[in-house]
Protein backbone atom coordinates (compact mmCIF):
# COMPACT_ATOMS: atom_id res chain seq x y z
CA UNK A 1 0.00 0.00 0.00
CA UNK A 2 1.12 3.56 -0.79
CA UNK A 3 0.37 5.37 2.46
CA UNK A 4 3.45 7.50 3.12
CA UNK A 5 2.13 10.46 1.13
CA UNK A 6 -1.35 10.39 2.64
CA UNK A 7 -1.97 13.40 4.85
CA UNK A 8 -1.88 12.84 8.63
CA UNK A 9 -5.13 12.42 10.51
CA UNK A 10 -6.46 15.58 12.14
CA UNK A 11 -6.32 15.17 15.91
CA UNK A 12 -9.38 17.42 16.25
CA UNK A 13 -11.47 15.03 14.16
CA UNK A 14 -14.35 15.85 11.81
CA UNK A 15 -16.52 18.85 12.74
CA UNK A 16 -19.67 16.89 11.80
CA UNK A 17 -20.66 13.25 11.16
CA UNK A 18 -19.47 11.73 7.92
CA UNK A 19 -23.04 11.28 6.63
CA UNK A 20 -23.61 15.03 6.98
CA UNK A 21 -20.40 15.89 5.17
CA UNK A 22 -21.03 13.53 2.27
CA UNK A 23 -24.71 14.53 2.03
CA UNK A 24 -23.83 18.16 1.37
CA UNK A 25 -20.89 17.17 -0.80
CA UNK A 26 -23.23 15.24 -3.11
CA UNK A 27 -26.14 17.70 -2.90
CA UNK A 28 -23.83 20.63 -3.52
CA UNK A 29 -22.28 18.85 -6.49
CA UNK A 30 -25.67 18.25 -8.11
CA UNK A 31 -26.74 21.86 -7.54
CA UNK A 32 -23.43 22.98 -9.05
CA UNK A 33 -23.65 20.62 -12.03
CA UNK A 34 -26.84 22.12 -13.45
CA UNK A 35 -25.44 25.61 -14.17
CA UNK A 36 -21.92 24.26 -14.70
CA UNK A 37 -23.10 22.04 -17.55
CA UNK A 38 -24.53 25.09 -19.31
CA UNK A 39 -21.10 26.66 -19.57
CA UNK A 40 -19.10 23.44 -19.93
CA UNK A 41 -20.99 22.12 -22.97
CA UNK A 42 -23.87 24.55 -23.36
CA UNK A 43 -21.72 27.55 -24.27
CA UNK A 44 -19.98 25.89 -27.19
CA UNK A 45 -23.27 24.35 -28.38
CA UNK A 46 -24.97 27.74 -28.36
CA UNK A 47 -22.10 29.39 -30.19
CA UNK A 48 -22.28 26.69 -32.85
CA UNK A 49 -26.06 27.12 -33.10
CA UNK A 50 -25.73 30.80 -33.80
CA UNK A 51 -23.03 30.18 -36.38
CA UNK A 52 -24.55 27.18 -38.16
CA UNK A 53 -28.24 27.09 -37.21
CA UNK A 54 -31.24 28.93 -38.59
CA UNK A 55 -33.46 31.64 -37.16
CA UNK A 56 -34.81 29.62 -34.23
CA UNK A 57 -31.37 28.23 -33.40
CA UNK A 58 -29.95 31.74 -33.27
CA UNK A 59 -32.81 32.81 -31.02
CA UNK A 60 -32.18 29.98 -28.54
CA UNK A 61 -28.47 30.83 -28.58
CA UNK A 62 -29.12 34.50 -27.88
CA UNK A 63 -31.62 33.73 -25.11
CA UNK A 64 -29.18 31.39 -23.38
CA UNK A 65 -26.02 33.45 -23.76
CA UNK A 66 -27.82 36.60 -22.67
CA UNK A 67 -28.40 35.06 -19.21
CA UNK A 68 -25.17 33.04 -19.06
CA UNK A 69 -23.33 35.59 -16.87
CA UNK A 70 -25.95 35.01 -14.16
CA UNK A 71 -25.78 31.24 -14.69
CA UNK A 72 -21.98 31.30 -14.31
CA UNK A 73 -22.26 33.36 -11.13
CA UNK A 74 -24.77 30.91 -9.63
CA UNK A 75 -22.68 27.89 -10.67
CA UNK A 76 -19.45 29.26 -9.21
CA UNK A 77 -21.09 30.07 -5.88
CA UNK A 78 -22.85 26.71 -5.70
CA UNK A 79 -19.53 25.02 -6.50
CA UNK A 80 -18.13 26.25 -3.19
CA UNK A 81 -20.37 23.80 -1.32
CA UNK A 82 -19.03 20.50 -2.72
CA UNK A 83 -15.48 21.86 -2.73
CA UNK A 84 -15.76 22.80 0.92
CA UNK A 85 -17.13 19.44 2.04
CA UNK A 86 -14.62 17.53 -0.09
CA UNK A 87 -11.81 19.35 1.70
CA UNK A 88 -13.32 18.59 5.10
CA UNK A 89 -14.22 14.92 4.53
CA UNK A 90 -11.22 13.91 2.36
CA UNK A 91 -8.52 16.32 3.50
CA UNK A 92 -5.95 13.52 3.76
CA UNK A 93 -6.14 12.99 -0.01
CA UNK A 94 -7.34 16.42 -1.14
CA UNK A 95 -4.35 18.44 0.03
CA UNK A 96 -1.57 16.06 -1.10
CA UNK A 97 -3.13 16.04 -4.57
CA UNK A 98 -3.18 19.83 -4.42
CA UNK A 99 0.52 19.94 -3.59
CA UNK A 100 1.36 17.72 -6.55
CA UNK A 101 -0.57 19.78 -9.12
CA UNK A 102 -0.60 23.14 -7.34
CA UNK A 103 0.05 25.38 -10.36
CA UNK A 104 -2.51 23.81 -12.73
CA UNK A 105 -5.03 23.83 -9.87
CA UNK A 106 -4.38 27.47 -8.95
CA UNK A 107 -4.53 28.45 -12.62
CA UNK A 108 -8.26 27.68 -12.53
CA UNK A 109 -8.80 31.01 -10.72
CA UNK A 110 -7.16 32.95 -13.55
CA UNK A 111 -8.84 30.89 -16.27
CA UNK A 112 -12.26 31.35 -14.65
CA UNK A 113 -11.76 35.11 -14.36
CA UNK A 114 -10.82 35.46 -18.03
CA UNK A 115 -13.65 33.16 -19.13
CA UNK A 116 -16.16 35.09 -17.01
CA UNK A 117 -15.13 38.35 -18.65
CA UNK A 118 -15.39 36.67 -22.05
CA UNK A 119 -18.99 35.63 -21.31
CA UNK A 120 -19.87 39.16 -20.20
CA UNK A 121 -18.13 40.64 -23.23
CA UNK A 122 -20.21 38.47 -25.56
CA UNK A 123 -23.48 38.99 -23.63
CA UNK A 124 -23.10 42.79 -23.63
CA UNK A 125 -22.64 42.61 -27.39
CA UNK A 126 -25.96 40.79 -27.66
CA UNK A 127 -27.73 43.34 -25.47
CA UNK A 128 -26.24 46.30 -27.36
CA UNK A 129 -26.99 44.76 -30.75
CA UNK A 130 -23.29 44.99 -31.67
CA UNK A 131 -21.88 41.48 -31.78
CA UNK A 132 -18.52 42.44 -33.24
CA UNK A 133 -15.82 39.93 -34.22
CA UNK A 134 -13.97 40.79 -31.00
CA UNK A 135 -17.05 39.96 -28.91
CA UNK A 136 -17.55 36.70 -30.79
CA UNK A 137 -13.91 35.85 -30.13
CA UNK A 138 -14.51 36.52 -26.44
CA UNK A 139 -17.34 33.99 -26.42
CA UNK A 140 -15.26 31.32 -28.16
CA UNK A 141 -12.28 31.96 -25.89
CA UNK A 142 -14.55 31.49 -22.86
CA UNK A 143 -15.87 28.20 -24.29
CA UNK A 144 -12.34 26.85 -24.75
CA UNK A 145 -11.28 27.98 -21.27
CA UNK A 146 -14.27 26.27 -19.67
CA UNK A 147 -13.32 23.02 -21.41
CA UNK A 148 -9.76 23.40 -20.12
CA UNK A 149 -11.03 24.06 -16.60
CA UNK A 150 -13.17 20.93 -16.78
CA UNK A 151 -10.09 18.97 -17.77
CA UNK A 152 -8.11 20.39 -14.83
CA UNK A 153 -10.91 19.63 -12.37
CA UNK A 154 -11.10 16.06 -13.66
CA UNK A 155 -7.32 15.83 -13.25
CA UNK A 156 -7.50 17.00 -9.67
CA UNK A 157 -10.33 14.81 -8.45
CA UNK A 158 -9.10 11.72 -10.27
CA UNK A 159 -5.64 12.33 -8.77
CA UNK A 160 -7.22 12.41 -5.31
CA UNK A 161 -8.22 8.77 -5.73
CA UNK A 162 -5.15 7.69 -7.69
CA UNK A 163 -2.95 7.46 -4.60
CA UNK A 164 -0.74 4.77 -6.12
CA UNK A 165 0.54 7.25 -8.72
CA UNK A 166 1.52 9.95 -6.24
CA UNK A 167 5.06 8.75 -5.60
CA UNK A 168 5.86 8.51 -9.31
CA UNK A 169 4.43 11.97 -10.02
CA UNK A 170 6.31 13.41 -7.06
CA UNK A 171 9.59 11.89 -8.26
CA UNK A 172 9.03 13.12 -11.82
CA UNK A 173 8.16 16.70 -10.90
CA UNK A 174 10.26 17.40 -7.78
CA UNK A 175 13.53 19.25 -7.45
CA UNK A 176 15.77 18.19 -4.58
CA UNK A 177 12.84 16.33 -3.05
CA UNK A 178 10.56 19.38 -3.13
CA UNK A 179 7.50 19.06 -5.39
CA UNK A 180 7.22 21.81 -7.99
CA UNK A 181 3.42 21.51 -8.20
CA UNK A 182 3.38 20.90 -11.95
CA UNK A 183 2.07 17.32 -12.04
CA UNK A 184 -0.97 16.26 -14.04
CA UNK A 185 -2.81 12.97 -13.73
CA UNK A 186 -2.75 12.26 -17.47
CA UNK A 187 -1.38 8.75 -16.94
CA UNK A 188 -4.56 7.70 -15.13
CA UNK A 189 -6.70 5.61 -17.51
CA UNK A 190 -9.90 6.89 -15.87
CA UNK A 191 -9.11 10.54 -16.61
CA UNK A 192 -10.27 10.83 -20.23
CA UNK A 193 -13.51 8.84 -19.96
CA UNK A 194 -14.47 10.77 -16.80
CA UNK A 195 -13.96 14.09 -18.59
CA UNK A 196 -15.91 12.90 -21.63
CA UNK A 197 -18.62 11.38 -19.43
CA UNK A 198 -19.23 14.75 -17.81
CA UNK A 199 -19.42 16.40 -21.24
CA UNK A 200 -22.09 13.89 -22.31
CA UNK A 201 -24.11 14.70 -19.20
CA UNK A 202 -23.62 18.40 -19.90
CA UNK A 203 -25.09 17.97 -23.39
CA UNK A 204 -28.13 16.37 -21.79
CA UNK A 205 -28.50 19.25 -19.32
CA UNK A 206 -28.29 21.72 -22.21
CA UNK A 207 -31.11 19.84 -23.94
CA UNK A 208 -33.27 19.91 -20.81
CA UNK A 209 -32.54 23.62 -20.49
CA UNK A 210 -33.89 24.22 -24.01
CA UNK A 211 -37.18 22.54 -23.11
CA UNK A 212 -37.32 24.24 -19.71
CA UNK A 213 -36.60 27.68 -21.15
CA UNK A 214 -39.22 27.21 -23.86
CA UNK A 215 -41.84 26.00 -21.40
CA UNK A 216 -41.17 28.40 -18.50
CA UNK A 217 -39.35 31.53 -19.64
CA UNK A 218 -40.20 31.89 -23.34
CA UNK A 219 -43.85 32.88 -23.01
CA UNK A 220 -43.32 35.90 -25.24
CA UNK A 221 -41.67 33.91 -28.02
CA UNK A 222 -43.59 32.68 -31.04
CA UNK A 223 -45.32 29.30 -31.11
CA UNK A 224 -43.04 28.25 -33.98
CA UNK A 225 -39.94 28.94 -31.91
CA UNK A 226 -41.19 27.10 -28.83
CA UNK A 227 -42.21 24.12 -30.97
CA UNK A 228 -38.76 24.04 -32.58
CA UNK A 229 -37.00 24.30 -29.19
CA UNK A 230 -38.93 21.32 -27.82
CA UNK A 231 -38.02 19.18 -30.84
CA UNK A 232 -34.39 20.28 -30.86
CA UNK A 233 -34.07 19.41 -27.15
CA UNK A 234 -34.87 15.77 -27.90
CA UNK A 235 -32.32 15.60 -30.71
CA UNK A 236 -29.53 17.14 -28.64
CA UNK A 237 -30.33 14.87 -25.70
CA UNK A 238 -30.12 11.84 -27.99
CA UNK A 239 -26.58 12.91 -28.98
CA UNK A 240 -25.69 13.42 -25.32
CA UNK A 241 -27.17 10.02 -24.47
CA UNK A 242 -25.00 8.24 -27.04
CA UNK A 243 -21.96 10.19 -25.84
CA UNK A 244 -22.75 9.33 -22.20
CA UNK A 245 -23.21 5.63 -23.00
CA UNK A 246 -19.94 5.41 -24.91
CA UNK A 247 -17.86 7.29 -22.33
CA UNK A 248 -19.56 5.51 -19.42
CA UNK A 249 -18.92 2.08 -20.92
CA UNK A 250 -15.28 3.00 -21.50
CA UNK A 251 -14.99 4.27 -17.93
CA UNK A 252 -16.64 1.31 -16.19
CA UNK A 253 -15.51 -1.60 -18.34
CA UNK A 254 -12.24 -0.28 -19.71
CA UNK A 255 -10.55 1.73 -16.96
CA UNK A 256 -11.99 1.05 -13.50
CA UNK A 257 -10.03 -1.25 -11.22
CA UNK A 258 -11.53 -4.77 -11.35
CA UNK A 259 -12.31 -4.74 -7.62
CA UNK A 260 -14.24 -1.47 -7.93
CA UNK A 261 -16.10 -2.63 -11.04
CA UNK A 262 -17.10 -5.87 -9.32
CA UNK A 263 -18.60 -3.92 -6.43
CA UNK A 264 -20.53 -1.71 -8.83
CA UNK A 265 -22.03 -4.73 -10.57
CA UNK A 266 -22.72 -6.98 -7.58
CA UNK A 267 -25.21 -7.22 -4.74
CA UNK A 268 -27.57 -4.34 -3.92
CA UNK A 269 -25.18 -1.87 -5.57
CA UNK A 270 -26.11 -3.11 -9.05
CA UNK A 271 -29.56 -1.55 -8.64
CA UNK A 272 -28.03 1.92 -8.20
CA UNK A 273 -25.63 1.28 -11.09
CA UNK A 274 -28.51 0.24 -13.36
CA UNK A 275 -30.58 3.28 -12.40
CA UNK A 276 -27.60 5.56 -13.00
CA UNK A 277 -27.07 4.08 -16.46
CA UNK A 278 -30.74 4.00 -17.44
CA UNK A 279 -31.83 7.34 -15.96
CA UNK A 280 -30.81 9.47 -18.96
CA UNK A 281 -32.88 7.23 -21.20
CA UNK A 282 -35.99 8.12 -19.20
CA UNK A 283 -35.28 11.82 -19.68
CA UNK A 284 -34.96 11.28 -23.42
CA UNK A 285 -38.38 9.61 -23.51
CA UNK A 286 -39.83 12.55 -21.58
CA UNK A 287 -38.29 14.97 -24.07
CA UNK A 288 -39.84 13.04 -26.95
CA UNK A 289 -43.19 13.32 -25.19
CA UNK A 290 -42.54 17.03 -24.72
CA UNK A 291 -41.89 17.47 -28.45
CA UNK A 292 -45.20 15.72 -29.24
CA UNK A 293 -47.06 17.93 -26.76
CA UNK A 294 -45.48 21.03 -28.29
CA UNK A 295 -46.39 19.92 -31.82
CA UNK A 296 -50.09 19.84 -30.93
CA UNK A 297 -50.22 22.78 -28.51
CA UNK A 298 -51.60 26.09 -29.85
CA UNK A 299 -48.80 28.05 -28.18
CA UNK A 300 -46.12 25.60 -29.33
CA UNK A 301 -44.91 24.88 -25.80
CA UNK A 302 -44.66 21.59 -23.94
CA UNK A 303 -46.32 23.21 -20.93
CA UNK A 304 -44.84 24.90 -17.88
CA UNK A 305 -45.74 22.07 -15.50
CA UNK A 306 -44.35 19.43 -17.85
CA UNK A 307 -41.09 21.38 -18.29
CA UNK A 308 -40.68 21.58 -14.50
CA UNK A 309 -41.30 17.82 -14.19
CA UNK A 310 -38.63 17.06 -16.82
CA UNK A 311 -36.15 19.42 -15.14
CA UNK A 312 -36.79 17.82 -11.75
CA UNK A 313 -36.37 14.32 -13.19
CA UNK A 314 -33.08 15.34 -14.81
CA UNK A 315 -31.91 16.79 -11.49
CA UNK A 316 -32.57 13.38 -9.89
CA UNK A 317 -30.64 11.66 -12.70
CA UNK A 318 -27.66 13.90 -12.00
CA UNK A 319 -28.08 12.98 -8.34
CA UNK A 320 -27.83 9.28 -9.18
CA UNK A 321 -24.57 9.94 -11.01
CA UNK A 322 -23.18 11.92 -8.08
CA UNK A 323 -24.12 9.20 -5.58
CA UNK A 324 -22.60 6.46 -7.75
CA UNK A 325 -19.44 8.49 -8.14
CA UNK A 326 -19.26 8.90 -4.35
CA UNK A 327 -19.33 5.15 -3.86
CA UNK A 328 -16.57 4.70 -6.45
CA UNK A 329 -14.43 7.37 -4.80
CA UNK A 330 -14.74 5.70 -1.41
CA UNK A 331 -13.83 2.29 -2.83
CA UNK A 332 -10.83 3.68 -4.69
CA UNK A 333 -9.54 5.36 -1.53
CA UNK A 334 -10.38 2.52 0.87
CA UNK A 335 -6.97 0.71 0.51
CA UNK A 336 -5.29 3.92 1.66
CA UNK A 337 -7.74 5.66 3.99
CA UNK A 338 -11.26 5.27 5.33
CA UNK A 339 -12.89 8.67 5.65
CA UNK A 340 -15.97 7.11 7.24
CA UNK A 341 -13.97 5.93 10.27
CA UNK A 342 -12.65 9.27 11.50
CA UNK A 343 -13.62 10.51 14.94
CA UNK A 344 -16.16 13.31 15.20
CA UNK A 345 -15.87 16.39 17.42
CA UNK A 346 -19.00 18.42 16.75
CA UNK A 347 -18.55 22.12 16.02
CA UNK A 348 -22.06 23.45 16.36
CA UNK A 349 -21.48 27.16 15.71
CA UNK A 350 -20.10 26.90 12.15
CA UNK A 351 -22.52 24.04 11.40
CA UNK A 352 -25.59 26.09 12.34
CA UNK A 353 -24.25 29.16 10.52
CA UNK A 354 -23.66 27.12 7.37
CA UNK A 355 -27.18 25.65 7.44
CA UNK A 356 -28.75 29.06 7.89
CA UNK A 357 -26.75 30.58 5.04
CA UNK A 358 -27.35 27.56 2.81
CA UNK A 359 -31.12 27.70 3.29
CA UNK A 360 -31.10 31.48 2.79
CA UNK A 361 -29.02 31.16 -0.38
CA UNK A 362 -31.22 28.47 -1.90
CA UNK A 363 -34.30 30.46 -0.94
CA UNK A 364 -32.87 33.53 -2.67
CA UNK A 365 -32.20 31.57 -5.87
CA UNK A 366 -35.77 30.20 -5.82
CA UNK A 367 -37.13 33.72 -5.33
CA UNK A 368 -35.04 34.98 -8.27
CA UNK A 369 -36.35 32.18 -10.48
CA UNK A 370 -39.93 33.00 -9.55
CA UNK A 371 -39.37 36.64 -10.45
CA UNK A 372 -37.90 35.59 -13.78
CA UNK A 373 -40.91 33.39 -14.51
CA UNK A 374 -43.30 36.23 -13.72
CA UNK A 375 -41.31 38.59 -15.93
CA UNK A 376 -41.58 36.17 -18.83
CA UNK A 377 -45.23 37.15 -19.22
CA UNK A 378 -48.02 35.28 -20.91
CA UNK A 379 -47.43 33.16 -24.05
CA UNK A 380 -47.55 35.03 -27.30
CA UNK A 381 -50.11 33.99 -29.89
CA UNK A 382 -49.01 32.09 -33.02
Amino acid sequence: METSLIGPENAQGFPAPYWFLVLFKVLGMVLHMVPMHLWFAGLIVMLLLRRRGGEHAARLSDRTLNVLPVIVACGVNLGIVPLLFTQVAYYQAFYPAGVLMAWPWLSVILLLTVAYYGVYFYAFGLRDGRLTPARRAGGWAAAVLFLVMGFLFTNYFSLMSNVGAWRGLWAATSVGGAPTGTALNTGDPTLWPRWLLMFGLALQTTAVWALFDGGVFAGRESAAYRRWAAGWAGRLHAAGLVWFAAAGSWYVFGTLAPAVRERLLAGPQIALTALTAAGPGLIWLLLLLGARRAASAPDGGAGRGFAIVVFTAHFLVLGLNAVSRQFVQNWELRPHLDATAGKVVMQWSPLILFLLLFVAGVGLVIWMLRQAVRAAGKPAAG
Side-chain angles (χ1 to χ4, degrees), residues 12 112 115 166 173 265 300 303 324 334 345 347 352 367:
Q12 295 181 347
L112 176 60
W166 288 2
T173 59
L265 303 176
S324 293
R334 187 60 59 84
V345 180
Q347 298 182 20
I352 293 172
W367 178 84

Side-chain angles (χ1 to χ4, degrees), residues 228-316:
W228 174 88
W232 180 83
R235 294 192 294 274
L236 178 64
H237 194 280
L241 187 60
V242 172
W243 190 303
F244 172 79
S249 298
W250 180 17
Y251 174 57
V252 174
F253 299 105
T255 65
L256 274 184
V260 174
R261 181 169 57 249
E262 288 173 6
R263 297 191 71 168
L264 273 177
L265 303 176
Q269 186 66 35
I270 195 172
L272 175 61
T273 303
L275 286 173
T276 303
L282 172 62
I283 305 303
W284 178 65
L285 292 176
L286 288 174
L287 288 174
L288 292 184
L289 178 59
R292 293 187 62 180
R293 288 168 60 96
S296 59
D299 65 356
R304 178 175 294 182
F306 183 82
I308 293 173
V309 168
V310 174
F311 180 87
T312 303
H314 181 66
F315 184 86
L316 294 176

